[in-house]
């Protein structure tokens, strides 16, 4: 696979495409973005400008320069300079299959094509390509320019070399790749996030609580822990010296089942409205951009605290826990 990666080509330049652009530029790479919507160019540059001050503060790598970002209107021209392709089009299976197939026809076989999809299986995305061995998922998290996690998922035809090249590329961007050993819809992280989201929607739909109460129930408690204690270590510590065995004996399945609803409710107009009105109440007239700036500041400070006080990362980038 292509090494070194000097030029990254982004297919789709919305929220996630812009986030990749900012991260890659901050690491001294050339970035070419292509998007079929002409208005995407202005949004892309505005999003990168919005992210740049916090990236300067975190520390730009050698060669980092916003002028190394180009917007291309021709897919063919954009792909002609690619060392690595990151696709960020909407999560529509047919659309992504078409786009990846087009890219595959235009690219030499040593260029990785990674999709930012939040849940589509890579085997579906690679089925119609000529070189399926270089097609994989590289699923990031918003804001891509600050959050280190990227889930790597290979399909049935993905080559080990492509997975290794993808992991090395993301590490070069100071990310922490998590290689999913088994392909599954939604991968690992979004399956976990969706369970919580379904339960929240169920409680809003049933009139049990408001969106603001749901956010309060997470941000002051479990959410503060989640930056460093995942759900597993959380419940391990919840069992005291008895660990997770004690926790699980305590919350026997028949009790735990009564605490969850699990199936997602139908997205009726009433539910969508109640959810949106509740979120707008939390927003309280403040702009999304202001929320983004404050969120970014908090993410940087949380990561600084983790660097200082939590277990140092191992070579995979994950905290090295004592055995
Ligand atoms: N939003 C998130 O939090 C998040 C997080 C991780 C991954 N993702 C994934 O990233 C991808 C992009 O999501 P987003 O949030 O940036 O969406 P978005 O709507 O902000 O951006 C999508 C962009 O794709 C463009 N587009 C439309 N048709 C296209 C086509 N045929 N080819 C190329 N581009 C096309 C649109 O013009 C738009 O600029 C999706 O697969 C999504 O699941 C999103």
């Amino acid at each position: 696979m292509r090494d070194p990666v000097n030029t990254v080509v982004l297919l789709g330049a919305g929220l996630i495409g812009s986030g990749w652009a900012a991260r890659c530029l901050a690491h001294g790479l050339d970035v070419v973005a292509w998007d079929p919507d002409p208005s995407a160019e202005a949004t892309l540059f505005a999003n990168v400008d919005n992210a740049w001050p916090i990236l300067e503060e975190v520390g730009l790598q050698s060669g980092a320069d916003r002028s190394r970002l180009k917007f291309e209107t021709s897919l063919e021209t954009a792909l002609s300079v690619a060392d690595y392709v990151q696709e960020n089009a909407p999560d529509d299976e047919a659309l992504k299959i078409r786009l990846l197939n087009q890219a595959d026809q235009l690219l030499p076989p040593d260029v990785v094509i990674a999709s930012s999809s939040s849940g589509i299986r890579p085997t579906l995305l690679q089925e119609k390509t000529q070189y399926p061995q270089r097609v994989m998922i590289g699923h990031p998290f918003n804001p891509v320019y600050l959050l280190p996690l990227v889930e790597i998922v290979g399909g049935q035809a993905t080559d080990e070399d492509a997975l290794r090249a993808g992991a090395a590329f993301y590490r070069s961007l100071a990310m922490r790749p998590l290689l999913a050993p088994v392909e599954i819809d939604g991968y690992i992280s979004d399956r976990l996030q969706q369970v919580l989201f379904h339960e929240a929607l169920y409680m809003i739909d049933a009139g049990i609580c408001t969106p603001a109460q749901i956010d309060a129930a997470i941000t002051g408690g479990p959410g503060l822990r989640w930056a460093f204690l995942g759900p597993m270590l959380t419940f391990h510590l919840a069992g005291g010296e008895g660990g997770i065995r004690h926790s699980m004996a305590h919350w026997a399945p028949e009790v735990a089942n009564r605490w969850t609803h699990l199936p997602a409710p139908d997205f009726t107009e009433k539910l969508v409205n109640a959810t949106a009105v509740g979120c707008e109440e939390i927003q309280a007239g403040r702009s999304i951009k202001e929320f983004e700036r404050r969120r970014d500041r908090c993410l940087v400070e949380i990561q600084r605290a983790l660097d200082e006080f939590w277990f140092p990362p191992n070579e995979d980038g994950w905290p090295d826990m004592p055995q």
Side-chain angles (χ1 to χ4, degrees):
M1 291 294 148
R2 196 69 67 87
D3 182 28
V5 171
N6 295 314
T7 304
V8 178
V9 172
L10 303 170
L11 305 181
L15 186 73
I16 295 302
S18 304
W20 279 118
R23 187 177 270 276
C24 292
L25 292 166
H27 282 81
L29 298 179
D30 288 313
V31 179
V32 177
W34 171 83
D35 195 295
D37 178 355
S39 74
E41 180 174 4
T43 314
L44 165 71
F45 281 87
N47 285 345
V48 170
D49 285 346
N50 200 50
W52 206 253
I54 198 96
L55 286 169
E56 282 178 320
E57 199 190 306
V58 170
L60 297 176
Q61 300 304 305
S62 145
D65 189 339
R66 275 178 285 178
S67 71
R68 296 178 72 175
L69 173 62
K70 305 261 174 310
F71 186 85
E72 251 311 328
T73 51
S74 148
L75 178 63
E76 194 168 353
T77 310
L79 290 174
S80 67
V81 293
D83 293 321
Y84 195 96
V85 171
Q86 185 77 37
E87 171 276 312
N88 322 284
D91 237 5
D92 168 326
E93 206 173 287
L95 181 156
K96 281 198 194 284
I97 289 173
R98 243 189 346 264
L99 178 61
L100 264 56
N101 197 20
Q102 260 180 303
D104 172 70
Q105 309 263 337
L106 293 165
L107 286 163
D110 67 334
V111 175
V112 169
I113 305 179
S115 170
S116 293
S117 174
S118 298
I120 302 173
R121 291 182 191 220
T123 295
L124 291 173
L125 298 180
Q126 70 193 168
E127 257 166 9
K128 296 209 164 80
T129 57
Q130 201 180 343
Y131 301 110
Q133 65 272 18
R134 46 73 173 272
V135 177
M136 54 179 249
I137 301 295
H139 173 223
F141 292 78
N142 182 44
V144 181
Y145 51 88
L146 289 180
L147 292 185
L149 176 61
V150 54
E151 285 183 292
I152 297 187
V153 192
Q156 278 164 17
T158 311
D159 208 283
E160 284 281 318
D161 271 359
L163 297 174
R164 261 195 299 273
F169 169 63
Y170 296 129
R171 274 194 205 101
S172 77
L173 298 176
M175 297 181 91
R176 289 191 218 148
L178 177 64
L179 183 65
V182 174
E183 179 181 23
I184 184 171
D185 294 319
Y187 325 133
I188 301 174
S189 191
D190 272 358
R191 292 185 79 89
L192 294 169
Q193 292 198 93
Q194 286 303 312
V195 169
L196 199 64
F197 190 49
H198 287 176
E199 196 64 34
L201 291 179
Y202 158 71
M203 289 194 284
I204 293 168
D205 203 31
I208 293 164
C209 58
T210 65
Q213 288 168 325
I214 284 168
D215 276 3
I218 292 297
T219 53
L224 276 181
R225 286 190 302 232
W226 279 339
F228 52 101
L229 292 180
M232 304 316 297
L233 199 52
T234 293
F235 288 132
H236 192 47
L237 297 190
E241 292 300 327
I244 191 84
R245 286 180 192 283
H246 179 74
S247 297
M248 291 178 81
H250 207 75
W251 302 313
E254 57 273 26
V255 175
N257 280 342
R258 271 190 264 126
W259 290 355
T260 57
H261 179 71
L262 284 184
D266 290 338
F267 282 24
T268 59
E269 207 179 323
K270 177 172 157 271
L271 172 58
V272 173
N273 282 338
T275 308
V277 167
C279 288
E280 282 149 16
E281 276 169 15
I282 303 170
Q283 192 179 340
R286 293 166 294 207
S287 73
I288 293 287
K289 281 279 172 280
E290 186 186 345
F291 272 97
E292 287 176 350
R293 279 191 296 274
R294 284 175 186 256
R295 173 204 63 194
D296 288 358
R297 158 69 47 213
C298 291
L299 288 175
V300 167
E301 298 302 335
I302 288 168
Q303 291 195 62
R304 281 187 179 143
L306 294 178
D307 286 346
E308 188 170 353
F309 298 113
W310 195 236
F311 296 103
N314 63 21
E315 60 183 18
D316 292 329
W318 299 104
D320 217 354
M321 301 291 182
Q323 296 300 306

PDB file of all heavy atoms in Angstrom, residues 24-30 52 60-69:
ATOM      1  N   CYS A  24      -5.878  16.273   9.024  1.00  0.00           N
ATOM      2  CA  CYS A  24      -4.780  15.966   8.090  1.00  0.00           C
ATOM      3  C   CYS A  24      -3.916  17.205   7.853  1.00  0.00           C
ATOM      4  O   CYS A  24      -2.687  17.110   7.824  1.00  0.00           O
ATOM      5  CB  CYS A  24      -5.345  15.453   6.760  1.00  0.00           C
ATOM      6  SG  CYS A  24      -6.139  13.839   6.913  1.00  0.00           S
ATOM      7  N   LEU A  25      -4.552  18.380   7.700  1.00  0.00           N
ATOM      8  CA  LEU A  25      -3.775  19.611   7.493  1.00  0.00           C
ATOM      9  C   LEU A  25      -2.893  19.895   8.704  1.00  0.00           C
ATOM     10  O   LEU A  25      -1.736  20.282   8.568  1.00  0.00           O
ATOM     11  CB  LEU A  25      -4.715  20.803   7.259  1.00  0.00           C
ATOM     12  CG  LEU A  25      -5.507  20.787   5.946  1.00  0.00           C
ATOM     13  CD1 LEU A  25      -6.627  21.812   5.987  1.00  0.00           C
ATOM     14  CD2 LEU A  25      -4.587  21.045   4.751  1.00  0.00           C
ATOM     15  N   ALA A  26      -3.451  19.692   9.890  1.00  0.00           N
ATOM     16  CA  ALA A  26      -2.694  19.961  11.122  1.00  0.00           C
ATOM     17  C   ALA A  26      -1.488  19.032  11.246  1.00  0.00           C
ATOM     18  O   ALA A  26      -0.564  19.315  11.989  1.00  0.00           O
ATOM     19  CB  ALA A  26      -3.606  19.810  12.339  1.00  0.00           C
ATOM     20  N   HIS A  27      -1.543  17.902  10.516  1.00  0.00           N
ATOM     21  CA  HIS A  27      -0.405  16.976  10.539  1.00  0.00           C
ATOM     22  C   HIS A  27       0.483  17.122   9.306  1.00  0.00           C
ATOM     23  O   HIS A  27       1.238  16.204   8.962  1.00  0.00           O
ATOM     24  CB  HIS A  27      -0.900  15.530  10.723  1.00  0.00           C
ATOM     25  CG  HIS A  27      -1.249  15.258  12.156  1.00  0.00           C
ATOM     26  ND1 HIS A  27      -2.447  15.641  12.707  1.00  0.00           N
ATOM     27  CD2 HIS A  27      -0.534  14.717  13.165  1.00  0.00           C
ATOM     28  CE1 HIS A  27      -2.450  15.322  13.989  1.00  0.00           C
ATOM     29  NE2 HIS A  27      -1.310  14.763  14.292  1.00  0.00           N
ATOM     30  N   GLY A  28       0.360  18.255   8.631  1.00  0.00           N
ATOM     31  CA  GLY A  28       1.306  18.578   7.563  1.00  0.00           C
ATOM     32  C   GLY A  28       1.068  17.846   6.250  1.00  0.00           C
ATOM     33  O   GLY A  28       2.008  17.655   5.477  1.00  0.00           O
ATOM     34  N   LEU A  29      -0.179  17.429   5.982  1.00  0.00           N
ATOM     35  CA  LEU A  29      -0.457  16.734   4.727  1.00  0.00           C
ATOM     36  C   LEU A  29      -1.135  17.676   3.729  1.00  0.00           C
ATOM     37  O   LEU A  29      -1.696  18.709   4.116  1.00  0.00           O
ATOM     38  CB  LEU A  29      -1.380  15.533   4.986  1.00  0.00           C
ATOM     39  CG  LEU A  29      -0.822  14.453   5.914  1.00  0.00           C
ATOM     40  CD1 LEU A  29      -1.842  13.342   6.104  1.00  0.00           C
ATOM     41  CD2 LEU A  29       0.487  13.877   5.349  1.00  0.00           C
ATOM     42  N   ASP A  30      -1.078  17.299   2.451  1.00  0.00           N
ATOM     43  CA  ASP A  30      -1.888  17.971   1.428  1.00  0.00           C
ATOM     44  C   ASP A  30      -3.250  17.306   1.423  1.00  0.00           C
ATOM     45  O   ASP A  30      -3.346  16.067   1.536  1.00  0.00           O
ATOM     46  CB  ASP A  30      -1.249  17.798   0.038  1.00  0.00           C
ATOM     47  CG  ASP A  30       0.006  18.631  -0.111  1.00  0.00           C
ATOM     48  OD1 ASP A  30      -0.047  19.833   0.251  1.00  0.00           O
ATOM     49  OD2 ASP A  30       1.039  18.091  -0.548  1.00  0.00           O
ATOM     50  N   TRP A  52      -9.239  25.540  13.466  1.00  0.00           N
ATOM     51  CA  TRP A  52      -7.794  25.814  13.459  1.00  0.00           C
ATOM     52  C   TRP A  52      -7.252  26.379  14.773  1.00  0.00           C
ATOM     53  O   TRP A  52      -6.203  25.913  15.251  1.00  0.00           O
ATOM     54  CB  TRP A  52      -7.435  26.705  12.267  1.00  0.00           C
ATOM     55  CG  TRP A  52      -6.024  26.510  11.835  1.00  0.00           C
ATOM     56  CD1 TRP A  52      -4.984  27.376  12.026  1.00  0.00           C
ATOM     57  CD2 TRP A  52      -5.474  25.366  11.156  1.00  0.00           C
ATOM     58  NE1 TRP A  52      -3.829  26.850  11.497  1.00  0.00           N
ATOM     59  CE2 TRP A  52      -4.104  25.617  10.961  1.00  0.00           C
ATOM     60  CE3 TRP A  52      -6.010  24.159  10.705  1.00  0.00           C
ATOM     61  CZ2 TRP A  52      -3.255  24.701  10.336  1.00  0.00           C
ATOM     62  CZ3 TRP A  52      -5.177  23.253  10.079  1.00  0.00           C
ATOM     63  CH2 TRP A  52      -3.815  23.519   9.900  1.00  0.00           C
ATOM     64  N   LEU A  60       0.501  22.236  16.157  1.00  0.00           N
ATOM     65  CA  LEU A  60       0.510  21.839  14.748  1.00  0.00           C
ATOM     66  C   LEU A  60       1.814  21.088  14.451  1.00  0.00           C
ATOM     67  O   LEU A  60       2.849  21.392  15.026  1.00  0.00           O
ATOM     68  CB  LEU A  60       0.426  23.081  13.857  1.00  0.00           C
ATOM     69  CG  LEU A  60      -0.855  23.921  13.996  1.00  0.00           C
ATOM     70  CD1 LEU A  60      -0.769  25.169  13.123  1.00  0.00           C
ATOM     71  CD2 LEU A  60      -2.099  23.103  13.628  1.00  0.00           C
ATOM     72  N   GLN A  61       1.724  20.113  13.541  1.00  0.00           N
ATOM     73  CA  GLN A  61       2.917  19.356  13.157  1.00  0.00           C
ATOM     74  C   GLN A  61       3.645  20.081  12.021  1.00  0.00           C
ATOM     75  O   GLN A  61       3.058  20.958  11.369  1.00  0.00           O
ATOM     76  CB  GLN A  61       2.526  17.933  12.729  1.00  0.00           C
ATOM     77  CG  GLN A  61       1.821  17.138  13.806  1.00  0.00           C
ATOM     78  CD  GLN A  61       2.630  17.037  15.084  1.00  0.00           C
ATOM     79  OE1 GLN A  61       3.769  16.611  15.072  1.00  0.00           O
ATOM     80  NE2 GLN A  61       2.040  17.460  16.208  1.00  0.00           N
ATOM     81  N   SER A  62       4.880  19.678  11.773  1.00  0.00           N
ATOM     82  CA  SER A  62       5.684  20.351  10.743  1.00  0.00           C
ATOM     83  C   SER A  62       4.951  20.326   9.390  1.00  0.00           C
ATOM     84  O   SER A  62       4.437  19.288   8.972  1.00  0.00           O
ATOM     85  CB  SER A  62       7.032  19.640  10.707  1.00  0.00           C
ATOM     86  OG  SER A  62       7.542  19.586   9.444  1.00  0.00           O
ATOM     87  N   GLY A  63       4.942  21.473   8.731  1.00  0.00           N
ATOM     88  CA  GLY A  63       4.305  21.578   7.411  1.00  0.00           C
ATOM     89  C   GLY A  63       2.812  21.889   7.468  1.00  0.00           C
ATOM     90  O   GLY A  63       2.171  22.054   6.423  1.00  0.00           O
ATOM     91  N   ALA A  64       2.263  21.970   8.672  1.00  0.00           N
ATOM     92  CA  ALA A  64       0.814  22.221   8.780  1.00  0.00           C
ATOM     93  C   ALA A  64       0.482  23.595   8.217  1.00  0.00           C
ATOM     94  O   ALA A  64       1.068  24.594   8.626  1.00  0.00           O
ATOM     95  CB  ALA A  64       0.391  22.144  10.249  1.00  0.00           C
ATOM     96  N   ASP A  65      -0.459  23.604   7.273  1.00  0.00           N
ATOM     97  CA  ASP A  65      -0.771  24.865   6.606  1.00  0.00           C
ATOM     98  C   ASP A  65      -2.147  24.739   5.947  1.00  0.00           C
ATOM     99  O   ASP A  65      -2.355  23.853   5.126  1.00  0.00           O
ATOM    100  CB  ASP A  65       0.319  25.117   5.542  1.00  0.00           C
ATOM    101  CG  ASP A  65       0.218  26.505   4.950  1.00  0.00           C
ATOM    102  OD1 ASP A  65      -0.867  27.117   5.024  1.00  0.00           O
ATOM    103  OD2 ASP A  65       1.243  26.961   4.402  1.00  0.00           O
ATOM    104  N   ARG A  66      -3.033  25.671   6.280  1.00  0.00           N
ATOM    105  CA  ARG A  66      -4.383  25.606   5.706  1.00  0.00           C
ATOM    106  C   ARG A  66      -4.383  25.810   4.193  1.00  0.00           C
ATOM    107  O   ARG A  66      -5.332  25.421   3.525  1.00  0.00           O
ATOM    108  CB  ARG A  66      -5.288  26.647   6.368  1.00  0.00           C
ATOM    109  CG  ARG A  66      -5.909  26.141   7.642  1.00  0.00           C
ATOM    110  CD  ARG A  66      -6.745  27.200   8.282  1.00  0.00           C
ATOM    111  NE  ARG A  66      -5.917  28.214   8.932  1.00  0.00           N
ATOM    112  CZ  ARG A  66      -6.409  29.284   9.547  1.00  0.00           C
ATOM    113  NH1 ARG A  66      -7.702  29.476   9.572  1.00  0.00           N
ATOM    114  NH2 ARG A  66      -5.604  30.156  10.124  1.00  0.00           N
ATOM    115  N   SER A  67      -3.334  26.462   3.663  1.00  0.00           N
ATOM    116  CA  SER A  67      -3.327  26.695   2.211  1.00  0.00           C
ATOM    117  C   SER A  67      -3.065  25.393   1.445  1.00  0.00           C
ATOM    118  O   SER A  67      -3.112  25.354   0.216  1.00  0.00           O
ATOM    119  CB  SER A  67      -2.284  27.748   1.839  1.00  0.00           C
ATOM    120  OG  SER A  67      -0.997  27.198   2.016  1.00  0.00           O
ATOM    121  N   ARG A  68      -2.790  24.310   2.166  1.00  0.00           N
ATOM    122  CA  ARG A  68      -2.579  23.011   1.501  1.00  0.00           C
ATOM    123  C   ARG A  68      -3.905  22.279   1.268  1.00  0.00           C
ATOM    124  O   ARG A  68      -3.921  21.125   0.869  1.00  0.00           O
ATOM    125  CB  ARG A  68      -1.607  22.158   2.321  1.00  0.00           C
ATOM    126  CG  ARG A  68      -0.226  22.820   2.378  1.00  0.00           C
ATOM    127  CD  ARG A  68       0.744  22.036   3.221  1.00  0.00           C
ATOM    128  NE  ARG A  68       1.176  20.801   2.580  1.00  0.00           N
ATOM    129  CZ  ARG A  68       2.092  19.988   3.076  1.00  0.00           C
ATOM    130  NH1 ARG A  68       2.693  20.294   4.221  1.00  0.00           N
ATOM    131  NH2 ARG A  68       2.418  18.880   2.451  1.00  0.00           N
ATOM    132  N   LEU A  69      -5.016  22.967   1.537  1.00  0.00           N
ATOM    133  CA  LEU A  69      -6.350  22.382   1.269  1.00  0.00           C
ATOM    134  C   LEU A  69      -6.880  22.898  -0.068  1.00  0.00           C
ATOM    135  O   LEU A  69      -6.908  24.097  -0.314  1.00  0.00           O
ATOM    136  CB  LEU A  69      -7.325  22.790   2.393  1.00  0.00           C
ATOM    137  CG  LEU A  69      -8.799  22.414   2.188  1.00  0.00           C
ATOM    138  CD1 LEU A  69      -8.986  20.903   2.094  1.00  0.00           C
ATOM    139  CD2 LEU A  69      -9.653  22.964   3.340  1.00  0.00           C
TER     140      LEU A  69
END
